[in-house]
Amino acid sequence: MTAQVLTTELASLIQESKKKYPDLRNAAEYSLAELKALPNTSEAQLAAALDVQLKVLQALPLLLQNYATELRGPLLISAFQVCFLLQGSKTAVVSRTAAASLQQFLAFTFDKVVIADDSNSSEEPLQSVSAQEGSVSVSSAAADAYHLLEDFSLLACGKQPNIYHGVQLSSAFALELIESILASHIDTVAKHEEQIHVCRTRLVPHLITILTEEFPFAPSVRAMRLLRLLTSKLLSVMAVELEVALNQLHYMLDPAALPAWKRAVALEFFSGVYSDSSLVRELYAQYDEHKERRNIIGDHLALLVRLAAENSAVIGLGQHLSQFEVYEDLHPSPIALESAGTGPLIESSLKKRGLSPHWSIARTRFIDQADKTEPLELPATYLHALVLTCINSFAEGLAKFLLPFTVPSGLKQKQTRKTTSSEPRRGDSKADDNGGGSGTKAGDPVSAESPLSEGKLPINPMTLENHELYSQICTAASMVEQCWPALLATFSTFLNASLDSEYLHALIRSFQRFTQVAGLLRLATPRDAFLTALAKQAVPTLAANPSKASGPGVHGESESDTDRDPSDGEPDPSPAPSVSFEQKKQASQRSTLIVTRNLLCLRALLNLGIALGPVLTDSWTIILETLHQFDVALLAYQTQKPLSGGHDSRGSIDQNNIYGSIDDNEIDSERKAVETAVARLFQSTSELPDQAFLHILNCLSSLTYGVSNLPKPAENEAKVDTTGVLSPQPVTMPQRHRFPSTSSIDLHKALGAKNSICLLDRISHVAECNASRLRQVQPSSSGWSILTTLFIDHLSSPAVVAEIRISAARMLNNLVIQLLSASKEDSLEHRDRVIGQGIDALATAVSSLGQSDDTKAADHCSLEIYAMAFEALTLLLEQHGEVMRSGWDTVFYIINSIFVIDEQPLDEGGEGLAEMAVSASRSPRLLRPSFAALQLLCSDFPTSIPKSCFPTLLDSQYYFASQHQDFNISLTSISLFRSTSDYLQRDQTDSEGIKPEAKVAGCETEKDLVELMKGKRGNRSRSAIWVYLLLRLAHLMTDSRPEVRHSALHTMFGIIDAWGNQLSAEAWTMCFRLVFFQLLSSPELKQQASTDEDSWEDTAILLVQGLSKTFMQSLDTLTGPDNYPPVWNQLLVRYGDLLRRRGLGLSRAVFNSLAEVLAAFDRTYSAHRMPLDSDWLLWRDHNPATYGLQGNADNKEALEAYLKYIRQLRGLVDGRSSAAQAETVLANLRLCITNSTPLTYGSDVDEMTNVQKLVLENIGLIPMPSSDIVVKVAMELAYLVTLAFQTNTSRVDKGKTLVALARAAMDALKSLVVEQRSVKSDAALPRLLSISLAALN
């Protein structure tokens, strides 16, 4: 029935195509003839034959179930032959069923081999088969498998089988069956030498032939799949045979010799190899490490370099920014074009430039298209995508294997929990545990994997010599050391190409992990090379010069020039869709901005810094300089003015917006991730060892010094061994880690101070993160010295701009305050060391400012820095002054630094106070902040100040009191002396060896006093400190300002009045000798007074009055064994010097004071005689009546004091007196009468003046032991009687009549005569009467 239908149909077709389609007619006629030639078989016969074939195939599985043991040898061969025969049937159902049955018999055959191997039955008959070393005896099951594999191999080669005679199989089907055997039973094959021998001698040579010659697609793919199986499973036993096949794959990558699909299959093969890191290590160990074999891994990675750069235009090579994004922005979507009226546009008409999974990946891998006779279309960038996959897998595999070995034992369990994937180890269960990877989350492709969360150093895997996987570790390390140049070149190619987000993240993640592995292996050269390459991509090259962004293109070319394939001789004839000029301009401007690629690379670089921190040594420069260059790029755009204040109506781009990306959310996310990475990087420095931290600081400081154009000081940088662990020779480090940066176009100069301030901010942040280290470790090891030196060099250099100097000062102060604030929980000893450390830094900063100033008047910037230092010092004292036990000398040094002090030699015993040469402060602006610190010390923390520092404290008070720029501070400073004195006298502790009554004898000069205070003469004396306080006040009494002098006087005598009773006789003597006597000898006090209103005379008067009270207060203590104060005569000598000023007020004060002292002595010691020769001489030589009077000067008060003093003095002497003394007294008294000034209001007619009364009183007190003295007294009285009646031109004032004096003198003379008359033996009576009568005449 079927034949008839076909015949009818063919005849009809012949008739219809006779004229129009002769070829079709000929074919139909030929088919009809063939149909008629067929034997005349009925439909029933054909159906019966098909049914028989299917029943035979259905019976075969029953044989496997029921006769498994007996089914071997010839029976098994017959069964296979049935399957082979029916598999060749043209009936599809029969062929497919036979193929399935054939697979069952194959599995059955090799399963029996496994059973036989496990049983090891000695009763099993053995058969001899060929092997590598001749023949071997195997079980019947193994023999059946051997013959089957051998005949399949022969059939694949197109040869006749040895056992399965008559079998006809295609080469492709034979290879498929072999692949099925190896895929399912490769472990069984590996255990049998005879089967390995078949693979060596039959299969591998044929595979090499297929790879070498131009075989069709299907067998080539089958051959590649078989080679993949053999390589992954039997490499260890077939390394020699597979070497040729693997090497042939390298030749298959030649673009000129083979079709593209064959290159793709070869790359897919290696892509699979690289995905199995254990296989890569085994290949490298078998070939690359074997001197007599070819390099498989190394050579292939070298080939990838050329393949990656091949046809570079399709991947956008050479465009440093994300041109993938820009291209998409420039070309509208098909929907947009169709809606605009341009007609439908299919996706293939748009040129896809760059790598993306959307068009760079084949839907099905070519190596998986074994059932295809022809390959599918090859995507233009498919090979590049495979190359990228290869290098990513290679780097990831190394990282997954090696990184777990670097984790310290204490952290390994914690790190394992965080692992998201693990790498299966080939044939080694222990390797599975130890070789687990530490993958990253897909959402964070460049996250750092730092094993330093607890501050432990990462382990160098090469040091694990006793580890069971040490040989594999060495192999992996050798791969890193030998293959890194090719890998870096390939990575660099793709870093400069256009990649979509997925590929870009994967690339940078792999790049980062390989660099991390190299660093942890201590391979400095590959580590630094990869870091440098990554650094170049982190900062946009053109972002340093934003002015170029305004041109038509990145380098001034048009967009069509930049997009053109450089390998093409002519531009693309197919024009791109119409793009407006503004779109081109916008794309050109965006190409100079920071894009996702830059941020990802920077983040990877920062994460590497976190992961490799302890081992980077000098390579920190690469990371830190890159971060700085990125900051510079941001600063450069911030300093540019926008073209139009933002987006204008034409869509121009604001240049202040440095970030450019199609997806704003993506760029914002990456920017935040970079900021987080920067924070984590600096925070991680707190967990680094001290040596590694010093490397960071050295790199940062070197970079900062370079940017600021300052010479870097000599330093002892930390030395870390960077020798490659795999090489016997040290690794040669590059001389410079720097790479082309924005500084090459003088951008640093354009940015000015912002550049240096940015670096200083980074350093300050690092210091802030390491406050604990800086507090707990010695300054030389913690980096404190480096930090403070850096800040101080910047703040003190006049060559640095003011903004940088002030910023450096602020950061130094913040560092000191933060360091001390963090030390509150430490022990007292440790806290005291830290406080001293911070104070020393402030002192060094202040000292450097003094050294840098050429003149006494500092510049405005230096003054600002000074003020900031004093604020920091005040805050430091407020917080820690109570617990400070050291560093006080430095505190006072800082406070006193505002003064330019010329140190003078100490007084060696000369007359007057030693000169204190203190110039004005550097600026009045500094006085108040510095004085605030001093006030704080004196008011709140006197108990904390060591007694050894009190002399310095007193000097500081003196400096502030003596300055002339702020009068209020001078007066306030004087008041501080009083509070200091009160504390000294109240504090009676001797914790510092202070003896309140320590011997001060022999302290003759100020130098002796200082030595006594410092304990150079035994125990320090509190009395000496107290006397030194008075000495400092005494220096202020020579100040040119009377208010200051008088305030100092009042303060000094107030202190003496309050605490003088606690001083010993020695202390009082020292006080008089070093303070009062020296003060009285000051030239300012001894100079001739010009007027009565002279302020110096007022000072001298106050001094004398105070000394009078002081002497009376100390009289009991000062009185010696003979009840005579030993300093009295010296005091009279100094008073005599003062009286030479010839000032009436001073004379009055001196004689009143002396009279009071003599009165006090008379009351206490009247029963004793005291030598008063000096007193007499002082009175004799300094009569105020001899002073010249100017203007309306009045000498009456001075004369009264003068006369009271002689009256008191005469009361202390005995009754004997020489005639010469009496004559001198009478002469001085006469001068007092004649030269006294008249009364201003009133007259002396009826009543004598006080001077006249005192003169007569003193005349009456003259002792008259002889008649000569009596006569002289009588003559003087007679003179006074007649004085009122004498005509004297000098006495013209009516207020001075002397009438009352005459009457009183006459009465006195009368009394003298009467008194002498009673003395019968007095021979002077006649003379007296004569004198009296002459006076009355």
Side-chain angles (χ1 to χ4, degrees):
M1 183 65 182
T2 304
Q4 292 179 358
V5 173
L6 289 175
T7 301
T8 303
E9 292 294 333
L10 288 172
S12 176
L13 183 60
I14 292 172
Q15 186 65 29
E16 292 178 358
S17 60
K18 183 181 298 185
K19 296 180 180 181
K20 294 183 179 181
Y21 305 102
D23 294 336
L24 181 59
R25 184 196 62 185
N26 294 335
E29 291 176 348
Y30 178 79
S31 299
L32 182 60
E34 289 289 330
L35 180 61
K36 292 180 178 179
L38 291 175
N40 190 10
T41 305
S42 65
E43 294 290 337
Q45 291 175 326
L46 292 175
L50 178 59
D51 184 61
V52 171
Q53 293 174 350
L54 292 176
K55 288 186 179 296
V56 170
L57 293 173
Q58 292 173 359
L60 290 177
L62 297 177
L63 294 176
L64 300 179
Q65 297 178 7
N66 300 325
Y67 305 98
T69 305
E70 292 78 6
L71 194 59
R72 60 186 178 183
L75 294 178
L76 183 61
I77 293 173
S78 299
F80 269 107
Q81 288 177 335
V82 172
C83 292
F84 289 142
L85 180 62
L86 295 178
Q87 192 273 335
S89 173
K90 295 182 179 180
T91 304
V93 63
V94 176
S95 178
R96 288 194 295 269
T97 305
S101 299
L102 186 60
Q103 294 290 345
Q104 288 182 317
F105 273 90
L106 287 176
F108 168 76
T109 301
F110 281 88
D111 287 342
K112 286 185 63 178
V113 176
V114 175
I115 296 173
D117 292 341
D118 293 340
S119 63
N120 291 324
S121 175
S122 58
E123 299 178 358
E124 179 75 20
L126 301 179
Q127 299 183 21
S128 179
V129 296
S130 299
Q132 183 72 24
E133 303 297 334
S135 60
V136 294
S137 297
V138 297
S139 64
S140 58
D144 292 339
Y146 166 79
H147 293 308
L148 187 63
L149 182 60
E150 183 182 33
D151 283 1
F152 282 175
S153 300
L154 291 173
L155 290 170
C157 297
K159 299 179 181 180
Q160 293 297 321
N162 294 330
I163 300 299
Y164 295 89
H165 301 290
V167 175
Q168 298 295 329
L169 291 178
S170 65
S171 176
F173 187 62
L175 291 175
E176 181 181 355
L177 292 176
I178 295 174
E179 180 185 359
S180 177
I181 293 173
L182 296 180
S184 303
H185 305 281
I186 190 65
D187 295 334
T188 304
V189 174
K191 293 178 182 179
H192 287 264
E193 183 182 352
E194 72 281 2
Q195 296 182 25
I196 297 295
H197 178 64
V198 172
C199 293
R200 287 196 185 107
T201 59
R202 302 293 186 186
L203 182 58
V204 174
H206 181 60
L207 296 180
I208 295 174
T209 301
I210 294 176
L211 298 177
T212 305
E213 300 178 2
E214 296 184 1
F215 272 70
F217 177 74
S220 297
V221 170
R222 287 294 179 187
M224 196 67 70
R225 292 168 64 91
L226 282 171
L227 182 61
R228 181 174 63 183
L229 283 171
L230 294 175
T231 303
S232 61
K233 302 299 182 180
L234 302 179
L235 179 62
S236 59
V237 295
M238 298 180 60
V240 178
E241 291 77 11
L242 290 175
E243 178 183 0
V244 178
L246 294 173
N247 189 65
Q248 181 60 32
L249 296 180
H250 295 164
Y251 294 104
M252 291 176 62
L253 298 176
D254 188 357
L258 296 171
W261 63 262
K262 210 162 189 179
R263 302 176 69 200
V265 173
L267 277 177
E268 288 175 347
F269 171 85
F270 278 103
S271 175
V273 169
Y274 289 126
S275 64
D276 185 355
S277 62
S278 58
L279 176 58
V280 176
R281 293 193 300 274
E282 189 172 356
L283 283 170
Y284 190 86
Q286 289 289 347
Y287 299 107
D288 296 67
E289 290 185 332
H290 202 290
K291 295 182 179 179
E292 298 179 356
R293 295 177 183 174
R294 298 178 181 180
N295 296 337
I296 299 301
I297 299 299
D299 289 351
H300 184 261
L301 289 175
L303 284 172
L304 294 183
V305 178
R306 179 173 55 82
L307 289 174
E310 184 181 301
N311 194 16
S312 59
V314 299
I315 61 172
L317 186 62
Q319 301 169 11
H320 294 276
L321 300 179
S322 183
Q323 290 297 320
F324 173 79
E325 297 173 338
V326 174
Y327 180 88
E328 287 295 301
D329 186 38
L330 287 175
H331 293 79
S333 65
I335 298 177
L337 291 176
E338 185 173 4
S339 63
T342 58
L345 183 66
I346 61 174
E347 183 180 1
S348 60
S349 66
L350 282 177
K351 288 189 173 182
K352 298 297 189 296
R353 178 167 300 185
L355 292 178
S356 173
H358 299 293
W359 59 74
S360 298
I361 298 297
R363 295 180 180 178
T364 305
R365 292 164 58 92
F366 285 81
I367 202 171
D368 297 329
Q369 299 178 20
D371 56 340
K372 304 291 184 182
T373 57
E374 294 294 334
L376 299 177
E377 181 182 359
L378 183 70
T381 55
Y382 183 53
L383 296 182
H384 296 88
L386 289 175
V387 172
L388 180 59
T389 303
C390 288
I391 61 174
N392 287 344
S393 300
F394 179 77
E396 291 285 350
L398 285 173
K400 288 182 178 180
F401 174 69
L402 287 175
L403 288 183
F405 296 108
T406 66
V407 181
S409 58
L411 300 178
K412 193 166 292 186
Q413 183 177 3
K414 181 187 297 185
Q415 190 79 1
T416 303
R417 294 196 199 104
K418 298 181 180 179
T419 300
T420 58
S421 62
S422 61
E423 177 188 10
R425 300 292 295 172
R426 300 171 62 246
D428 192 344
S429 60
K430 294 182 179 180
D432 292 337
D433 298 333
N434 296 326
S438 53
T440 58
K441 295 182 289 186
D444 187 15
V446 289
S447 60
E449 297 177 16
S450 173
L452 297 178
S453 58
E454 295 182 10
K456 297 185 178 180
L457 282 174
I459 299 173
N460 183 355
M462 293 301 296
T463 61
L464 305 176
E465 298 180 1
N466 296 326
H467 200 281
E468 55 187 340
L469 298 178
Y470 181 69
S471 60
Q472 293 195 38
I473 293 175
C474 293
T475 299
S478 179
M479 291 167 60
V480 175
E481 190 174 32
Q482 299 300 326
C483 300
W484 72 265
L487 197 65
L488 176 60
T490 311
F491 270 128
S492 299
T493 299
F494 287 108
L495 283 175
N496 288 282
S498 295
L499 308 178
D500 82 329
S501 178
E502 181 179 343
Y503 276 152
L504 184 60
H505 281 70
L507 173 68
I508 296 177
R509 178 176 62 244
S510 302
F511 196 105
Q512 172 188 331
R513 289 168 71 81
F514 184 86
T515 310
Q516 183 177 352
V517 168
L520 294 175
L521 288 171
R522 312 308 193 263
L523 299 176
T525 302
R527 177 199 66 198
D528 293 346
F530 273 71
L531 287 175
T532 302
L534 197 60
K536 290 180 180 179
Q537 297 295 327
V539 181
T541 305
L542 298 176
N545 192 357
S547 60
K548 293 184 179 182
S550 59
V554 176
H555 298 284
E557 309 114 347
S558 65
E559 182 66 22
S560 59
D561 293 335
T562 57
D563 282 348
R564 185 181 305 164
D565 185 350
S567 64
D568 297 338
E570 296 295 332
D572 192 347
S574 58
S578 175
V579 181
S580 67
F581 171 77
E582 290 300 330
Q583 286 177 308
K584 293 181 180 180
K585 182 177 180 180
Q586 184 176 353
S588 299
Q589 289 174 336
R590 185 182 291 114
S591 64
T592 66
L593 305 180
I594 295 176
V595 293
T596 306
R597 179 192 307 271
N598 305 126
L599 296 175
L600 286 173
C601 292
L602 179 61
R603 182 151 61 102
L605 196 65
L606 297 174
N607 287 332
L608 286 171
I610 298 173
L612 301 178
V615 297
L616 278 179
T617 63
D618 293 338
S619 300
W620 270 108
T621 302
I622 303 174
I623 298 174
L624 298 175
E625 184 175 354
T626 304
L627 178 59
H628 174 60
Q629 297 301 335
F630 190 85
D631 293 336
V632 167
L634 296 179
L635 290 174
Y637 273 86
Q638 292 173 0
T639 57
Q640 298 294 319
K641 294 182 178 180
L643 294 176
S644 58
H647 292 269
D648 60 14
S649 57
R650 298 171 297 175
S652 62
I653 297 177
D654 185 347
Q655 291 189 20
N656 283 333
N657 180 16
I658 188 172
Y659 295 103
S661 175
I662 296 301
D663 189 349
D664 293 337
N665 293 331
E666 180 184 6
I667 199 73
D668 186 63
S669 174
E670 292 299 336
R671 179 181 59 80
K672 293 179 180 179
V674 167
E675 294 173 355
T676 303
V678 171
R680 290 179 57 228
L681 173 67
F682 291 135
Q683 189 64 40
S684 68
T685 59
S686 62
E687 301 175 352
L688 296 178
D690 294 337
Q691 233 182 4
F693 180 66
L694 290 180
H695 280 300
I696 295 179
L697 292 184
N698 282 325
C699 293
L700 279 172
S701 62
S702 298
L703 185 60
T704 308
Y705 280 113
V707 170
S708 302
N709 294 322
L710 290 178
K712 185 178 181 182
E715 58 191 359
N716 296 323
E717 296 186 0
K719 302 296 182 182
V720 179
D721 184 15
T722 57
T723 303
V725 293
L726 303 180
S727 305
Q729 299 298 329
V731 176
T732 302
M733 298 293 295
Q735 298 212 348
R736 286 181 66 84
H737 296 299
R738 297 177 183 269
F739 49 88
S741 63
T742 55
S743 59
S744 62
I745 59 172
D746 206 22
L747 181 58
H748 294 294
K749 183 177 180 181
L751 290 176
K754 293 183 179 179
N755 198 359
S756 297
I757 293 176
C758 180
L759 276 172
L760 291 174
D761 283 334
R762 295 294 190 197
I763 296 174
S764 179
H765 187 195
V766 171
E768 179 182 349
C769 295
N770 288 269
S772 177
R773 183 199 309 272
L774 297 175
R775 187 178 75 253
Q776 297 174 0
V777 185
Q778 290 298 325
S780 59
S781 302
S782 66
W784 174 261
S785 301
I786 298 176
L787 287 169
T788 54
T789 301
L790 174 70
F791 288 136
I792 292 171
D793 287 348
H794 280 76
L795 67 87
S796 63
S797 174
V800 178
V801 298
E803 187 177 357
I804 298 176
R805 295 179 63 188
I806 293 176
S807 296
R810 182 181 300 108
M811 294 172 190
L812 176 65
N813 296 340
N814 292 340
L815 175 61
V816 170
I817 297 302
Q818 184 181 20
L819 178 72
L820 301 183
S821 299
S823 65
K824 292 182 178 180
E825 303 300 328
D826 298 335
S827 63
L828 291 178
E829 294 77 8
H830 188 270
R831 191 192 313 179
D832 195 58
R833 181 187 66 80
V834 174
I835 293 173
Q837 185 176 323
I839 295 176
D840 288 342
L842 294 178
T844 306
V846 169
S847 174
S848 64
L849 287 174
Q851 296 173 1
S852 64
D853 293 334
D854 297 332
T855 61
K856 293 181 180 179
D859 59 277
H860 174 78
C861 178
S862 296
L863 297 179
E864 180 67 23
I865 296 173
Y866 266 116
M868 294 168 62
F870 291 132
E871 292 174 1
L873 178 63
T874 303
L875 182 60
L876 184 151
L877 293 174
E878 289 176 352
Q879 296 178 353
H880 307 281
E882 188 175 354
V883 297
M884 282 183 59
R885 295 186 298 177
S886 62
W888 288 103
D889 289 330
T890 309
V891 170
F892 289 115
Y893 170 81
I894 298 173
I895 294 175
N896 298 337
S897 64
I898 67 170
F899 300 104
V900 181
I901 304 172
D902 299 329
E903 294 292 343
Q904 299 293 325
L906 294 175
D907 178 33
E908 296 291 346
E911 288 292 326
L913 294 171
E915 182 181 0
M916 294 296 295
V918 182
S919 70
S921 66
R922 300 180 189 274
S923 171
R925 178 182 176 186
L926 300 178
L927 284 171
R928 292 197 175 277
S930 179
F931 185 66
L934 182 64
Q935 275 187 300
L936 181 66
L937 290 180
C938 297
S939 61
D940 294 358
F941 307 113
T943 57
S944 300
I945 303 176
K947 299 301 184 298
S948 59
C949 293
F950 266 77
T952 309
L953 171 63
L954 298 174
D955 289 340
S956 302
Q957 295 172 354
Y958 168 77
Y959 297 149
F960 281 99
S962 63
Q963 53 81 30
H964 286 225
Q965 292 155 309
D966 193 316
F967 180 70
N968 292 331
I969 287 181
S970 295
L971 297 181
T972 308
S973 300
I974 294 174
S975 67
L976 297 180
F977 283 96
R978 178 61 183 266
S979 62
T980 304
S981 172
D982 294 344
Y983 168 72
L984 281 173
Q985 297 303 327
R986 286 195 305 267
D987 183 21
Q988 299 298 322
T989 61
D990 58 355
S991 59
E992 300 182 53
I994 299 294
K995 299 299 181 182
E997 297 300 331
K999 295 295 183 181
V1000 294
C1003 188
E1004 300 292 338
T1005 65
E1006 185 176 340
K1007 181 178 180 180
D1008 297 336
L1009 178 63
V1010 172
E1011 291 179 352
L1012 185 61
M1013 287 188 299
K1014 293 182 177 179
K1016 294 183 178 180
R1017 297 189 175 190
N1019 291 325
R1020 290 192 293 269
S1021 169
R1022 180 179 291 105
S1023 298
I1025 299 175
W1026 193 73
V1027 172
Y1028 187 76
L1029 181 149
L1030 299 179
L1031 183 62
R1032 277 289 172 255
L1033 283 172
H1035 281 99
L1036 290 173
M1037 295 175 199
T1038 61
D1039 194 279
S1040 60
R1041 297 164 295 177
E1043 297 86 355
V1044 173
R1045 298 198 301 269
H1046 299 165
S1047 177
L1049 279 170
H1050 290 301
T1051 301
M1052 181 174 68
F1053 290 119
I1055 291 173
I1056 294 174
D1057 183 62
W1059 304 104
N1061 55 357
Q1062 296 185 7
L1063 293 182
S1064 63
E1066 293 84 354
W1068 271 115
T1069 302
M1070 181 173 62
C1071 182
F1072 272 92
R1073 183 180 297 116
L1074 297 182
V1075 180
F1076 301 139
F1077 293 166
Q1078 299 295 334
L1079 180 60
L1080 290 171
S1081 301
S1082 299
E1084 294 85 356
L1085 297 179
K1086 294 192 295 183
Q1087 65 184 358
Q1088 186 79 21
S1090 58
T1091 63
D1092 289 342
E1093 292 79 21
D1094 186 12
S1095 63
W1096 283 105
E1097 182 171 347
D1098 295 338
T1099 303
I1101 293 173
L1102 290 175
L1103 174 61
V1104 171
Q1105 292 172 347
L1107 281 176
S1108 172
K1109 297 179 181 179
T1110 299
F1111 199 89
M1112 288 186 292
Q1113 180 183 359
S1114 61
L1115 191 59
D1116 293 339
T1117 307
L1118 282 173
T1119 303
D1122 298 329
N1123 296 321
Y1124 177 73
V1127 298
W1128 178 253
N1129 287 336
Q1130 299 180 40
L1131 179 63
L1132 294 178
V1133 171
R1134 268 66 179 188
Y1135 276 177
D1137 294 338
L1138 283 181
L1139 291 174
R1140 291 187 179 93
R1141 288 178 56 90
R1142 302 179 68 82
L1144 294 175
L1146 181 58
S1147 177
R1148 179 186 71 247
V1150 168
F1151 288 113
N1152 278 333
S1153 300
L1154 291 176
E1156 291 176 359
V1157 173
L1158 291 178
F1161 192 84
D1162 185 28
R1163 289 192 299 269
T1164 308
Y1165 305 102
S1166 59
H1168 302 277
R1169 175 184 177 84
M1170 59 180 297
L1172 299 175
D1173 295 339
S1174 298
D1175 305 66
W1176 160 254
L1177 294 176
L1178 180 70
W1179 184 86
R1180 183 196 69 181
D1181 298 336
H1182 299 286
N1183 190 347
T1186 62
Y1187 299 167
L1189 300 178
Q1190 298 179 358
N1192 297 323
D1194 187 355
N1195 63 0
K1196 290 190 294 296
E1197 293 183 354
L1199 292 174
E1200 291 175 7
Y1202 180 75
L1203 296 171
K1204 290 178 180 178
Y1205 172 67
I1206 188 61
R1207 182 183 63 185
Q1208 188 66 42
L1209 184 63
R1210 302 300 296 181
L1212 293 176
V1213 298
D1214 54 14
R1216 292 175 297 174
S1217 178
S1218 65
Q1221 288 180 338
E1223 185 177 0
T1224 301
V1225 171
L1226 291 173
N1228 283 339
L1229 293 177
R1230 177 181 293 184
L1231 288 175
C1232 291
I1233 293 295
T1234 58
N1235 294 344
S1236 66
T1237 57
L1239 294 173
T1240 304
Y1241 304 99
S1243 173
D1244 59 350
V1245 174
D1246 298 324
E1247 185 179 359
M1248 294 185 294
T1249 65
N1250 292 334
V1251 173
Q1252 296 168 359
K1253 292 178 182 178
L1254 289 171
V1255 167
L1256 290 179
E1257 184 179 352
N1258 279 291
I1259 291 174
L1261 293 175
I1262 296 175
M1264 293 177 285
S1266 65
S1267 60
D1268 292 339
I1269 297 176
V1270 174
V1271 172
K1272 291 181 180 297
V1273 171
M1275 293 177 64
E1276 186 64 27
L1277 289 174
Y1279 172 77
L1280 295 178
V1281 171
T1282 61
L1283 186 63
F1285 307 101
Q1286 295 178 1
T1287 303
N1288 191 339
T1289 56
S1290 63
R1291 185 166 48 85
V1292 298
D1293 197 309
K1294 295 182 180 179
K1296 187 176 180 181
T1297 64
L1298 303 178
V1299 174
L1301 174 64
R1303 290 196 299 267
M1306 186 178 301
D1307 293 339
L1309 180 60
K1310 177 181 177 181
S1311 299
L1312 178 64
V1313 172
V1314 172
E1315 180 182 352
Q1316 291 299 321
R1317 180 184 176 186
S1318 62
V1319 182
K1320 296 181 179 180
S1321 59
D1322 192 349
L1325 183 59
R1327 184 73 182 271
L1328 290 177
L1329 293 174
S1330 175
I1331 293 172
S1332 301
L1333 293 174
L1336 295 174
N1337 187 3

